[in-house]
Amino acid sequence: MQSQRERREVRPRAGWTVMGKGVAGPSALEVGKILVLFLCLFPSVSLQCKILKCNSEFWASTSSSGPEEEFCTALRAYNNCVRRTARTCRGDLAYHSAQHGIEDLMSQHNCSKEGPTTQPRARTPAPPPPPQLQPDSQERSDGPEQCHYERSLPRHSSPPNYTHCGFFGDPHLRTFSDDFQTCKVEGAWPLIHNKYLSVQVTNTPVVPGSSATATSKLTIIFKNFQECVDQKMYHAETDELPAAFADGSKNGGDRHGANTLRIVEKVPGQHVEIHARYIGTTIVVRQVGRYLTFAVRMPEEVVNSVEDRDNQDLYLCLHGCPANQRIDFRTFRDRAVEGHGQVNSRTGSQSHGFTYQAAMAKCKERLPVEDLYFQSCVFDLLSSGDINFTMAAYYAFEDVKMLHSNKDKYHIFEKDAFGSNAAPRGSDMFSLVLNCLAMLLWIECCWVHL
């Protein structure tokens, strides 16, 4: 992007070691936000102690402005909640970070440790803004030119090329370059990492004893950017698809272009969209059944704005899954056909009611075209027996129609996907042969001179 779009320099503090540098904000309130990030990325902490519950209740109770006395009351309640976790959390860094964060906030807001400590959720929430205020909100979003991606581009430049990445099901990946892969990728994996945002998913086993996995957690970090947005973190997991960022806000903070980053809840608990207009990006997060799906529309320029080109190979949306994590579903499908569909997992155990023909019929109800979205649906039904994966594939394709810029590329077919993958392998083999011949000639020349 243009040089004026370079994001503001910040001092690294708490870090996301896999996906990029962490940052600390200029105020004591950033301590709590960093704590949220730490807890989301280290789930063992939240499983062993309840510090996350204390933290989320406090930020929920202070998401809207109010009298200083109410903030101090909520802060004392937060302090009491943290104290109650001392036995189970004393050995955790998050617990000690919370303690120091509370001390900073009390000092900053001149709060006394003595006083009322009503539970944060007992506060009467501020009423939602009336509909007639929406034009004012939109007016505020018309901030500096650099907070609107297309407006910030040079005049007479060609329109930006928008790309799409999707991640869904057991799990299937469509990369920014329209490669379609089925992968194992159990555990935490980064999908996107560039100058402006980072996305990480956590995949957990679907069926005990099988290598079938699906996404149960998703974390997105929007990095602070000039006058447009503060750093924001969004975290979702199974049965928790919030309509707000981790700090309780729904936009990019207090800067002039804050509303160029906002969250829109389409279906409570099922469908959330995040619009980041300052980088021309739209993200769709869904919960289908027990698992999450992810889809994004992003300008090619933003996709390629990587910070460290030497460490980009693991970012799945950019380069796909590592070779040792990919699954050739054709082999699995052929085994299912030969065994009359009596396979359920990638280990070949008994099915849970789906033959190959039954899986095809079920997927055909939602996906009439036999493209790779249809094939992924069939694969997921056979490998997991979970009928919700039918809808996961269906919504993934609906997101393609909404986000992909080229309608001729909505569908990806098996012959195109595997045909395009075969060419590089042939090219690599040709290069290898040439290198071997060159080496033989070099050795022969050396031998002659000897």
Side-chain angles (χ1 to χ4, degrees):
M1 300 181 76
Q2 303 301 314
S3 58
Q4 68 266 24
R5 297 183 63 84
E6 292 299 323
R7 62 186 181 89
R8 189 175 60 182
E9 282 287 324
V10 291
R11 291 173 60 86
R13 189 174 176 182
W16 186 350
T17 57
V18 176
M19 298 189 62
K21 296 177 182 179
V23 295
S27 73
L29 292 175
E30 291 297 321
V31 175
K33 297 176 186 178
I34 294 171
L35 175 60
V36 175
L37 173 60
F38 179 86
L39 290 165
C40 291
L41 297 180
F42 297 93
S44 59
V45 173
S46 58
L47 288 175
Q48 294 170 6
C49 72
K50 301 300 181 183
I51 195 81
L52 181 59
K53 184 173 183 293
C54 300
N55 197 69
S56 61
E57 285 183 351
F58 171 67
W59 288 110
S61 68
T62 57
S63 58
S64 58
S65 59
E68 196 74 8
E69 302 81 33
E70 290 189 17
F71 181 87
C72 291
T73 297
L75 189 56
R76 283 189 289 268
Y78 181 30
N79 188 37
N80 287 349
C81 184
V82 171
R83 281 183 172 183
R84 287 194 294 270
T85 68
R87 179 173 297 178
T88 55
C89 301
R90 191 170 296 277
D92 291 317
L93 179 60
Y95 168 77
H96 297 286
S97 298
Q99 284 186 314
H100 292 301
I102 290 169
E103 291 175 7
D104 289 344
L105 291 172
M106 283 193 166
S107 174
Q108 180 179 337
H109 293 269
N110 296 319
C111 296
S112 169
K113 291 186 178 180
E114 303 297 328
T117 56
T118 54
Q119 290 297 320
R121 293 192 181 275
R123 277 185 63 193
T124 303
Q132 60 266 29
L133 292 184
Q134 288 180 356
D136 292 341
S137 176
Q138 184 63 37
E139 187 176 321
R140 184 190 170 195
S141 72
D142 292 329
E145 286 293 305
Q146 63 263 38
C147 296
H148 297 263
Y149 178 73
E150 292 195 10
R151 289 190 207 168
S152 70
L153 298 175
R155 289 186 177 183
H156 310 300
S157 61
S158 56
N161 179 33
Y162 287 94
T163 60
H164 164 72
C165 176
F167 195 76
F168 68 97
D170 178 17
H172 308 282
L173 171 69
R174 180 171 182 158
T175 69
F176 285 125
S177 55
D178 290 318
D179 289 332
F180 197 100
Q181 301 167 359
T182 298
C183 311
K184 302 174 186 176
V185 291
E186 182 176 349
W189 288 81
L191 289 183
I192 299 172
H193 180 63
N194 57 46
K195 291 181 180 179
Y196 306 102
L197 80 163
S198 297
V199 182
Q200 179 171 288
V201 292
T202 300
N203 305 311
T204 53
V206 174
V207 179
S210 168
S211 58
T213 64
T215 302
S216 59
K217 294 182 182 180
L218 170 76
T219 302
I220 307 171
I221 293 180
F222 296 89
K223 303 173 185 180
N224 62 62
F225 178 71
Q226 295 186 6
E227 299 105 271
C228 305
V229 299
D230 298 323
Q231 176 164 304
K232 293 289 178 175
M233 194 265 287
Y234 180 80
H235 179 76
E237 53 187 271
T238 299
D239 295 332
E240 223 177 295
L241 191 67
F245 294 110
D247 62 2
S249 66
K250 293 193 175 185
N251 69 3
D254 298 324
R255 304 186 190 184
H256 295 304
N259 282 337
T260 57
L261 173 63
R262 61 192 183 93
I263 293 182
V264 179
E265 185 177 55
K266 295 294 186 178
V267 181
Q270 297 180 34
H271 180 187
V272 166
E273 292 182 7
I274 305 177
H275 300 275
R277 289 194 294 161
Y278 66 101
I279 51 173
T281 296
T282 300
I283 293 174
V284 178
V285 182
R286 301 178 187 267
Q287 177 167 333
V288 185
R290 295 282 300 163
Y291 301 102
L292 305 176
T293 69
F294 169 85
V296 62
R297 169 187 167 97
M298 183 179 291
E300 192 172 48
E301 185 181 18
V302 177
V303 169
N304 293 321
S305 64
V306 295
E307 293 185 303
D308 185 356
R309 292 189 178 275
D310 293 334
N311 293 309
Q312 290 293 318
D313 290 346
L314 285 180
Y315 300 116
L316 306 188
C317 278
L318 193 59
H319 291 295
C321 299
N324 64 350
Q325 293 291 320
R326 298 182 192 179
I327 296 167
D328 186 349
F329 73 84
R330 295 173 299 176
T331 302
F332 180 88
R333 181 189 59 199
D334 293 344
R335 190 167 68 245
V337 173
E338 292 170 4
H340 304 290
Q342 297 303 309
V343 290
N344 168 252
S345 71
R346 295 166 195 168
T347 59
S349 62
Q350 289 296 311
S351 71
H352 288 176
F354 278 104
T355 63
Y356 180 69
Q357 291 73 20
M360 286 190 65
K362 190 64 184 175
C363 293
K364 203 82 167 177
E365 294 175 7
R366 290 285 183 176
L367 298 159
V369 178
E370 292 190 18
D371 61 0
L372 288 181
Y373 288 91
F374 171 84
Q375 298 291 354
S376 69
C377 173
V378 174
F379 176 88
D380 289 352
L381 290 184
L382 292 173
S383 65
S384 70
D386 187 346
I387 199 170
N388 288 304
F389 282 123
T390 304
M391 296 305 297
Y394 168 76
Y395 283 125
F397 185 67
E398 290 298 300
D399 291 338
V400 170
K401 292 191 290 184
M402 178 174 65
L403 301 174
H404 205 292
S405 59
N406 188 346
K407 66 178 182 179
D408 294 331
K409 293 186 177 180
Y410 288 173
H411 296 281
I412 301 178
F413 293 93
E414 188 176 327
K415 60 181 177 63
D416 300 323
F418 293 102
S420 63
N421 289 341
R425 285 196 294 268
S427 176
D428 291 344
M429 182 60 70
F430 182 67
S431 298
L432 179 62
V433 170
L434 286 179
N435 288 335
C436 289
L437 288 174
M439 182 63 72
L440 289 172
L441 287 172
W442 182 80
I443 293 172
E444 186 174 347
C445 289
C446 291
W447 181 259
V448 169
H449 286 294
L450 289 173

